[in-house]
Amino acid sequence: MNPEDPSFPRPWRTRLLAFAGAALFAIAWGSLVQTQFNLNALAALGVEMPLALRLRTSVQDLRGFGPVYAAIVLAAWLPAFALAAWLARRHPAWRAALFALAAGVALPLAIRAIDAAAPMPVLIDATRGLGGLSAMVAGSVLGGALFGWGTRPHLRG
């Protein structure tokens, strides 16, 4: 491959940093979404939910649930992104859309696969309904798009 070629891919370090940033975004988004859905469910039962408690719980969930959710996101993204990368080599103009689509399809499949194997009805209560699942998938889609955009080939102009 020729670095002078305008379609020359980004260096591995750039791709790794883009992946880490996109994954951290999606993981933080999903963790915060599930926290707020759970807190809203408690508030609907009459539990007082002041802002300070919401913030403290959000930080605790980023630390406690974040690593679990990271494993789910990574398990979903790695095979999906491999397929998206293969397709993006053939259709470079679609790169961000392909990674967004891959992330948006893979995450709910991974969540539902885990739910099927988990002894409880669902592992992540926020994903019980379409609203919570969609909100969590939105973060995955945005993360996938960020990765696709951040790893697009160099363009010289």
Side-chain angles (χ1 to χ4, degrees):
M1 296 192 89
N2 178 2
E4 297 302 316
D5 180 353
S7 65
F8 189 72
R10 301 268 183 185
W12 277 102
R13 183 173 161 258
T14 302
R15 287 186 259 174
L16 186 59
L17 288 172
F19 184 83
L24 286 173
F25 174 84
I27 292 160
W29 176 298
S31 181
L32 293 171
V33 163
Q34 72 85 29
T35 300
Q36 297 312 310
F37 266 78
N38 292 341
L39 293 177
N40 287 343
L42 290 171
L45 296 173
V47 176
E48 193 171 320
M49 207 54 61
L51 181 60
L53 178 59
R54 283 184 179 273
L55 292 173
R56 186 170 57 250
T57 305
S58 295
V59 169
Q60 289 171 341
D61 275 1
L62 282 170
R63 286 188 203 142
F65 177 69
V68 172
Y69 191 59
I72 295 168
V73 169
L74 292 176
W77 277 19
L78 291 175
F81 278 23
L83 176 60
W86 181 77
L87 291 170
R89 279 193 296 277
R90 284 141 185 79
H91 305 284
W94 300 351
R95 184 173 186 82
L98 287 167
F99 280 97
L101 179 63
V105 170
L107 184 67
L109 288 176
I111 288 172
R112 291 303 181 229
I114 291 167
D115 287 346
M120 64 287 273
V122 293
L123 180 66
I124 305 169
D125 192 59
T127 64
R128 185 181 301 262
L130 186 58
L133 181 62
S134 297
M136 292 183 77
V137 169
S140 185
V141 168
L142 290 171
L146 285 171
F147 177 75
W149 182 82
T151 57
R152 69 196 182 285
H154 292 285
L155 297 176
R156 298 184 195 272

